[in-house]
Amino acid sequence: MIADIIISGLINGSVYALLAIGFSLIFGAARIVNLAHTAFYMLASYCIYYATHRLGVHPIPAMLVAIVLVTLIGLICYKLFIDPIREHEAAVLIATIALAMAMQEIMLLIFTGDYLSVPALVRGYLKIFGVKIAYQQLLTFGVALLILAGVWALLKKTRVGLAIRSTAQDREVANLMGMNESRVAMMTMGVSVGLAAFAGAVVVPLKVVDPHMWMYPLIMMMAVVVLGGLGSLKGSFAGAYILGFAESLVVFLIPLGAFLKGSVALSIMIIVLLIRPEGLFGIAFEEER
Amino acid sequence: MGMLGFYLRKLITIFKGEVLVLPSRIVVFLFFLVLLLLPVVSQDPYLLRILILASIFAILAASWDLLSGFTGQMNFGHALFFGVGAYSSALLNLHVHIPPWGSIPLGALAAVLAGLIIGIPCLRLRGTYLALTTLAFPIILMGIVFAIPGITGGELGVSGLSRLSSSRLYDYYITVVLMLGLCTIMWKITDSNTGIIFHAIREDELAVRTSGINVTRYKLLAFSLSGFFAGISGGLYAHFMRIAGPSTLEVSMSFTVVIWAVFGGIVTIYGPVGAVFILFPLLEFFRFWPEFRMLMFAVVILLILLYMPNGILPWVRDKIEKECPRCKIRNVATRKTCRVCTASLD
Amino acid sequence: MKRSKLLLSVLLVACLLMAVGMPAYAAKVIKIGVIGPMKFVQGKGHWNGATMAAEEINAKGGIQVGNEKMKLEVIKVDSNEFLSMTDATNAMELAITRHKVDFLVGGFRTEAVLAMQDIAMDHNKIFIGCGAAHPELCTRVAKDYKRYKYFFRGTPFNSMYLVKVCFIHLATVGGIMKKALGIPKIKVAIVGEKAVWVEPMVAVTKKYLPKLGMELAGIWRPSAVATDATAELSAVQRTGAHIVFTIFSSSVGITFARQAGELKIPAAMVGINVEAQKDGFYEATERMGNYVMTMNTYARGVESNELTKPFVTKYMKKFGEVPTYTADTYTAIVYGLVPTIEQAGTLDADKLVAILENREYKVPAGKVKYSKDAQGRHLHDLTWGPGYLTSLGVQWQDGELKGVWPNRWKAAKGAPEITYKGIVPYKIAPWIIKEYKK
């Protein structure tokens, strides 16, 4: 039972971490609440489905193509719809919701509401501590950790990462230091959408693909980000695993209430916010930045 | 008789002097007139249904604006008030047999309670944290609704409620009059002292607190008022549809309210009302192309936001009215001089 | 500037007029509104069945109403009931007041059908429900006959019978496994999605299992749209359950079957899995969905009576897939409404109701007889039983959906054995055999 919870929690947490870090990045660097983040994740899933089932391409090249394609689409959408209205935060919020709805509808049009799936990269399973784990789940977990490490390396060791981090810390001063703030925002958007697409590629063999698959991950991802503190990558990472474990605990300890896992996770978020209104690792005074 | 003539002439003078002066006021007057006199022209039940639902949602959107637009407390979980109002009035009507004119206000009071309950944890939160936290509340309530299906009927909802009134026409007048009345009240609130304080809280909360005003009390007041009006619209919805289901608590309902309000223009009460009356019939009109309906809806919103990021009604208003640089009174855009201080309007 | 403003306002008024004043069509045509979630499989089934019916009727020249022959026109109305209740009720009202339909068929989601039923009854329109199984829809008819008499259930039979058939399947599979694998006492795990219609089923199943001589291993309630069921599957395996009694209507059915297949959980799946009724299920589970058994109304090669094969073959030729139960709009129109209209010689709803509720007629799935409740009041609900409607038990074998029940089924002690034409034996998954065979 414990083994089940730990393994399930780790896998869930990694998926949320992938999504949350992308969301946190774009919020920190460009102050954009991109509610269409998980919609890009859905877009990547559909691309992979299309490539593997309709075109007969092998899953791995399909995933790479999907990631590149979705990142491009994300950048185009950003340039067309979000960049012009960046100062009006409320309008940006609505624009991203409308974007997500538009993507959902387009997917519904092309693929209809049927439930679809994407083939697993590796078949079969193994037993660890008496728990049957599918190889695909392990693969997902491993790749998620790799990508997280990659993002960490990008942010800490490269100049691009430095630019992103400094813009996130203080936009005006970064501008004064000679960093083209809107270009940094574009790059961050690219990395963010790329991460969402990566999450789609890595996670989607485990899940069912349908045009509404973006809603639940969106809510959980926002809970993770708020719990960890907006704009804080450490926080998103920690929050993802906390809520991932919370979900596993609910499903295993209360089988009759397994459907409540979303509500429980959100309640945890609210309780933490009551004690610490800026999240676990967030910054108390936004005006100080 | 002479008295009557006197008052009539006075009314006409006021009308000419106050309403006919500004195009935006003329529009509002025409809006009232058209809505109230529509049944004289056509009593098509489908048309009345669309307008009834639009009125109900207009109350909801305006109540959101009161909280999130004026007071700046971004509420992404407005469906909570709507759902609590709907379920409470439904349960009261079904089990305690209170007729609609009783169950709807009582349902609204339940929504006020909900407003206080979520207002208290939200007191310390700002901006996006607040938005995302409020998003969580209707989801949690939906989980509870599914967890006690015996009372709430789970995903089937509570059905078998009594009607609002005995005919579609009476339904129409009840909702339209309520909508016009409540929205006017909300507008008056924003114009009053309380409204100014709400404005100020949005602009700079710290400054308001240093001025000695009890910010907590006013924030909670905003939550309660918003909850009350939203609860009324929830109750009306439940009784009109004769069913109160979990669809009233969905995330998409919260988002839709926000979309309407921002599309129409926040920090105005008339913005969300106008947006609902434009977008809701538009969505129905798009029914003729069922596959593209939501897509066109989303595209319309995206385009409008690109060109009018403050909302469509303020944009229109700015095009047809000009503000005098000296006395700040609004004038028709075609005027060359201000109507009050005769300063040049260029 | 002024001219373009005028043009714009004229355009706007024209648009408004277009929206507000849709012309009423001329008579000489009977209009049937087909209302359902048209973007989803259930609505597609509604529409396909109805169009097939209309084409067939019109090819024969139309419907004889009294002295004149009238053509049939089916009108597609998207209720969008999965996503919006207001849309569903608006659509129903649009169909009745704008399109001026004479009859309505369709509906799927119970919450929406309850509201849509009210609107149809307001306008005294005959509404044949083809998708919602909740008993409440018909108990309303008994309680307030004068108002609700225009409602009939077309498909499926109500959820109480659903449960009964499930238990028969459970008992059958349990018996097969006991005999083949030598298991002394079968353990059953109940996994039902969190939904109101599942509550009574779980409660009843819990009570009934001991009577079947089976033991309860545990109850799990995942979300209806859960995308990960490994937690539940691990737990189920730990309890050593031999059978998983599934109660799924939504995407969790795919997730569960796929992961159970991937992890080779040694438990047979029986019960209700609506997604498994669809042809796309095998692909959706990445070919891991074999050996899943569920209820269904139609299956390739299975004949309930002489009407089944022509219907299924024609449908498959036209649409490329086996009809789901919502395609019974065909039955509702061709065997239900049309003969009633021809018999009555009029379109008057009251007269039609009086005739329809007393008719007993054959349909591709069996025979329709409208039931009455214990006090003898009309329910307009479907009768279940051998000779009437029993539905089928289907199982995925080698990537195809085969009919496996009724297979030498005795409805009661001493009753004759029933096997429909085209039924094949039930198969146990090889990994289950490996796990339990002594």
Side-chain angles (χ1 to χ4, degrees):
Chain A
M1 177 71 105
I2 310 268
D4 282 319
I5 296 178
I6 294 178
I7 292 167
S8 166
L10 279 175
I11 296 178
N12 275 344
S14 314
V15 173
Y16 289 141
L18 268 178
L19 285 172
I21 291 201
F23 187 78
S24 233
L25 263 178
I26 191 67
F27 182 79
R31 312 307 265 142
I32 295 175
V33 182
N34 182 11
L35 291 177
H37 193 75
T38 47
F40 288 116
Y41 154 80
M42 171 187 76
L43 207 60
S45 313
Y46 268 108
C47 284
I48 298 172
Y49 165 78
Y50 186 72
T52 51
H53 276 255
R54 306 275 180 100
L55 295 179
V57 180
H58 188 269
I60 298 190
M63 288 178 183
L64 291 167
V65 169
I67 293 173
V68 170
L69 193 65
V70 171
T71 312
L72 268 164
I73 296 178
L75 284 171
I76 295 174
C77 286
Y78 169 76
K79 204 78 195 123
L80 282 178
F81 297 116
I82 302 180
D83 208 20
I85 46 173
R86 257 182 69 196
E87 291 82 44
H88 301 97
E89 285 192 7
V92 167
L93 213 59
I94 307 299
T96 52
I97 298 179
L99 209 59
M101 274 170 50
M103 283 195 270
Q104 173 189 297
E105 287 306 307
I106 296 177
M107 290 301 115
L108 200 58
L109 261 178
I110 306 178
F111 295 101
T112 74
D114 292 337
Y115 295 113
L116 307 165
S117 72
V118 162
L121 282 176
V122 201
R123 296 262 168 122
Y125 63 93
L126 70 134
K127 277 188 153 191
I128 301 183
F129 298 118
V131 182
K132 276 187 178 169
I133 307 177
Y135 281 129
Q136 180 64 43
Q137 282 180 298
L138 280 178
L139 189 66
T140 303
F141 179 54
V143 174
L145 283 182
L146 266 170
I147 297 177
L148 287 170
V151 172
W152 183 86
L154 175 79
L155 288 175
K156 287 278 199 284
K157 307 282 185 196
T158 65
R159 285 169 64 91
V160 170
L162 188 62
I164 295 177
R165 270 187 300 137
S166 36
T167 316
Q169 267 202 329
D170 195 326
R171 221 210 282 185
E172 276 125 20
V173 173
N175 219 352
L176 289 173
M177 287 287 160
M179 284 177 244
N180 186 340
E181 189 262 325
S182 59
R183 189 136 23 109
V184 171
M186 270 272 272
M187 279 193 286
T188 318
M189 188 74 190
V191 173
S192 164
V193 177
L195 274 174
F198 242 116
V202 143
V203 162
V204 97
L206 296 173
K207 305 224 184 247
V208 172
V209 180
D210 84 291
H212 303 284
M213 66 187 286
W214 59 281
M215 277 213 158
Y216 182 73
L218 181 70
I219 296 168
M220 287 309 293
M221 178 194 73
M222 291 202 284
V224 164
V225 165
V226 169
L227 177 65
L230 277 165
S232 158
L233 295 163
K234 236 188 325 176
S236 305
F237 195 74
Y241 284 104
I242 295 177
L243 287 186
F245 276 107
E247 273 197 359
S248 303
L249 276 167
V250 170
V251 171
F252 277 100
L253 294 179
I254 322 176
L256 278 170
F259 65 98
L260 278 173
K261 59 184 184 182
S263 307
V264 168
L266 290 171
S267 312
I268 295 179
M269 176 191 89
I270 293 179
I271 294 173
V272 170
L273 281 180
L274 275 177
I275 307 169
R276 228 184 113 77
E278 58 275 3
L280 290 174
F281 293 95
I283 306 160
F285 271 104
E286 293 268 296
E287 290 78 31
E288 275 183 356
R289 292 173 48 151
Chain B
M1 209 48 222
M3 285 295 279
L4 198 64
F6 169 68
Y7 278 118
L8 207 61
R9 266 175 288 135
K10 190 158 179 202
L11 192 67
I12 294 177
T13 326
I14 294 177
F15 187 67
K16 265 208 310 221
E18 293 291 320
V19 178
L20 287 182
V21 190
L22 281 179
S24 59
R25 293 187 191 170
I26 298 178
V27 168
V28 173
F29 176 69
L30 282 175
F31 181 68
F32 271 68
L33 209 65
V34 167
L35 272 185
L36 289 172
L37 294 182
L38 186 82
V40 174
V41 174
S42 153
Q43 289 202 10
D44 177 17
Y46 176 65
L47 186 65
L48 290 185
R49 166 179 280 268
I50 300 294
L51 289 174
I52 292 175
L53 283 170
S55 307
I56 294 177
F57 288 131
I59 304 178
L60 185 65
S63 69
W64 184 87
D65 196 23
L66 189 66
L67 179 62
S68 304
F70 278 95
T71 325
Q73 311 292 305
M74 266 282 166
N75 181 3
F76 264 34
H78 211 60
L80 177 75
F81 299 139
F82 190 64
V84 168
Y87 269 103
S88 315
S89 52
L91 288 171
L92 283 172
N93 182 256
L94 197 65
H95 295 295
V96 189
H97 300 291
I98 303 180
W101 52 259
S103 68
I104 295 180
L106 287 174
L109 285 178
V112 170
L113 201 65
L116 287 172
I117 295 177
I118 75 166
I120 294 174
C122 289
L123 285 173
R124 299 213 287 166
L125 301 171
R126 309 248 172 297
T128 322
Y129 289 102
L130 180 61
L132 299 181
T133 309
T134 49
L135 182 69
F137 284 107
I139 300 171
I140 297 177
L141 189 66
M142 227 197 323
I144 298 178
V145 160
F146 282 114
I148 42 169
I151 306 176
T152 61
E155 75 267 10
L156 292 180
V158 181
S159 59
L161 309 174
S162 36
R163 298 167 173 282
L164 264 184
S165 72
S166 45
S167 88
R168 181 57 61 83
L169 189 63
Y170 288 157
D171 280 347
Y172 176 77
Y173 272 116
I174 293 175
T175 41
V176 167
V177 168
L178 258 179
M179 187 264 297
L180 294 173
L182 289 178
C183 290
T184 314
I185 294 177
M186 278 192 257
W187 193 62
K188 282 289 173 205
I189 293 178
T190 62
D191 235 358
S192 68
N193 265 347
T194 321
I196 296 178
I197 297 178
F198 285 162
H199 251 291
I201 294 177
R202 186 184 84 248
E203 298 282 334
D204 195 336
E205 195 177 316
L206 203 54
V208 173
R209 202 174 289 168
T210 54
S211 307
I213 298 177
N214 189 342
V215 171
T216 307
R217 195 188 297 172
Y218 278 94
K219 273 196 190 170
L220 287 178
L221 183 66
F223 271 99
S224 312
L225 280 174
S226 178
F228 180 73
F229 292 117
I232 298 232
S233 95
L236 282 172
Y237 180 80
H239 281 282
F240 179 65
M241 302 280 278
R242 302 191 66 202
I243 187 169
S247 55
T248 52
L249 285 169
E250 276 171 8
V251 175
S252 46
M253 173 66 78
S254 300
F255 278 177
T256 313
V257 173
V258 177
I259 291 177
W260 281 326
V262 175
F263 180 84
I266 49 172
V267 200
T268 62
I269 294 291
Y270 56 83
V273 174
V276 172
F277 274 94
I278 296 175
L279 287 179
F280 192 72
L282 192 71
L283 197 59
E284 270 302 308
F285 179 59
F286 281 162
R287 181 180 282 282
F288 294 113
W289 304 283
E291 302 87 36
F292 300 102
R293 217 168 135 229
M294 290 308 289
L295 184 60
M296 289 197 283
F297 184 66
V299 168
V300 163
I301 293 175
L302 275 172
L303 289 175
I304 298 283
L305 279 177
L306 264 182
Y307 294 106
M308 311 171 201
N310 269 327
I312 192 171
L313 287 188
W315 185 86
V316 169
R317 198 177 178 205
D318 278 331
K319 286 277 175 288
I320 56 178
E321 286 179 6
K322 263 194 274 197
E323 202 180 71
C324 167
R326 192 194 295 175
C327 66
K328 303 291 182 211
I329 296 285
R330 296 199 139 235
N331 286 285
V332 185
T334 53
R335 283 185 71 101
K336 293 278 186 294
T337 56
C338 171
R339 60 190 165 97
V340 167
C341 67
T342 68
S344 154
L345 278 180
D346 298 307
Chain C
M1 191 58 195
K2 281 241 162 100
R3 182 118 57 98
S4 64
K5 268 203 202 158
L6 182 68
L7 192 63
L8 207 64
S9 39
V10 166
L11 260 169
L12 195 67
V13 170
C15 282
L16 278 168
L17 280 178
M18 225 175 45
V20 167
M22 277 274 287
Y25 297 156
K28 297 286 179 209
V29 170
I30 299 182
K31 288 195 258 184
I32 302 189
V34 183
I35 185 162
M38 292 298 165
K39 288 201 278 246
F40 296 86
V41 131
Q42 293 87 354
K44 283 188 235 167
H46 283 146
W47 181 240
N48 288 347
T51 42
M52 203 165 101
E55 274 170 26
E56 197 178 291
I57 300 281
N58 287 338
K60 286 197 221 149
I63 309 177
Q64 186 78 33
V65 184
N67 289 330
E68 54 177 328
K69 250 204 158 49
M70 295 173 77
K71 287 268 180 185
L72 192 56
E73 185 185 334
V74 283
I75 300 182
K76 194 184 211 186
V77 186
D78 189 353
S79 63
N80 203 19
E81 49 203 271
F82 285 130
L83 300 175
S84 166
M85 288 288 299
T86 32
D87 269 357
T89 46
N90 285 352
M92 184 54 116
E93 186 129 337
L94 183 72
I96 297 178
T97 56
R98 244 346 124 61
H99 296 298
K100 301 215 193 303
V101 297
D102 302 296
F103 306 103
L104 289 147
V105 296
F108 183 77
R109 183 182 169 189
T110 307
E111 189 186 341
V113 178
L114 282 169
M116 296 196 286
Q117 185 192 41
D118 266 318
I119 300 178
M121 299 303 117
D122 281 340
H123 295 268
N124 294 350
K125 296 281 179 197
I126 294 185
F127 177 29
I128 304 190
C130 297
H134 203 276
E136 170 80 9
L137 288 166
C138 289
T139 49
R140 278 180 173 185
V141 178
K143 279 194 253 186
D144 189 352
Y145 180 75
K146 212 167 133 217
R147 175 173 157 78
Y148 288 98
K149 65 181 179 186
Y150 305 98
F151 179 80
F152 289 83
R153 204 193 294 276
T155 187
F157 43 69
N158 81 43
S159 39
M160 296 191 294
Y161 295 130
L162 228 66
V163 178
K164 198 166 170 163
V165 174
C166 284
F167 287 159
I168 298 177
H169 291 179
L170 188 60
T172 316
V173 172
I176 295 176
M177 283 181 74
K178 212 169 176 174
K179 226 170 67 174
L181 304 175
I183 303 171
K185 192 161 192 177
I186 300 267
K187 280 218 264 220
V188 176
I190 305 180
V191 183
E193 69 186 27
K194 186 60 186 178
V196 150
W197 66 279
V198 175
E199 304 297 335
M201 288 193 68
V202 169
V204 166
T205 313
K206 221 169 111 176
K207 271 206 319 216
Y208 201 69
L209 278 177
K211 294 199 199 132
L212 286 174
M214 300 184 188
E215 201 186 309
L216 177 67
I219 305 180
W220 286 265
R221 307 292 305 274
S223 146
V225 291
T227 50
D228 185 30
T230 45
E232 286 87 349
L233 285 165
S234 297
V236 163
Q237 177 161 341
R238 251 178 230 290
T239 62
H242 305 104
I243 295 184
V244 173
F245 186 60
T246 61
I247 315 178
F248 298 137
S249 78
S250 190
S251 68
V252 66
I254 298 180
T255 313
F256 195 78
R258 175 181 177 176
Q259 291 179 327
E262 278 174 355
L263 296 175
K264 302 222 187 313
I265 304 285
M269 286 195 266
V270 184
I272 300 181
N273 189 339
V274 172
E275 285 296 322
Q277 295 172 348
K278 304 181 195 168
D279 272 350
F281 176 73
Y282 192 61
E283 278 296 307
T285 54
E286 293 300 320
R287 290 179 249 140
M288 292 278 123
N290 270 331
Y291 306 108
V292 168
M293 179 172 171
T294 178
M295 290 176 53
N296 208 348
T297 320
Y298 299 107
R300 270 187 188 79
V302 175
E303 295 174 36
S304 316
N305 61 26
E306 71 276 7
L307 295 175
T308 322
K309 189 152 175 190
F311 169 60
V312 175
T313 333
K314 192 165 171 199
Y315 190 93
M316 282 180 54
K317 202 161 123 199
K318 218 170 134 78
F319 301 110
E321 54 185 18
V322 175
T324 54
Y325 68 95
T326 48
D328 263 339
T329 44
Y330 173 88
T331 315
I333 298 175
V334 170
Y335 296 105
L337 277 176
V338 169
T340 314
I341 297 174
E342 296 195 329
Q343 189 178 331
T346 166
L347 290 179
D348 177 60
D350 291 308
K351 295 212 180 90
L352 291 172
V353 167
I355 296 181
L356 185 58
E357 67 188 5
N358 290 315
R359 278 183 61 207
E360 237 185 77
Y361 54 96
K362 269 201 175 153
V363 292
K367 192 194 274 196
V368 168
K369 179 179 162 169
Y370 294 112
S371 59
K372 302 202 178 119
D373 70 358
Q375 285 104 336
R377 300 180 291 186
H378 282 284
L379 278 175
H380 292 175
D381 208 343
L382 297 169
T383 310
W384 180 88
Y388 294 104
L389 297 164
T390 59
S391 82
L392 304 170
V394 294
Q395 188 191 25
W396 280 93
Q397 297 177 356
D398 303 314
E400 284 185 2
L401 200 52
K402 303 253 164 78
V404 297
W405 182 90
N407 193 353
R408 295 165 61 194
W409 167 57
K410 286 190 185 186
K413 241 200 169 89
E417 268 187 8
I418 300 186
T419 307
Y420 290 156
K421 215 166 124 182
I423 295 278
V424 301
Y426 176 84
K427 273 198 195 156
I428 309 179
W431 58 86
I432 301 181
I433 301 180
K434 213 167 73 161
E435 176 90 6
Y436 292 118
K437 186 113 184 170
K438 306 288 184 273

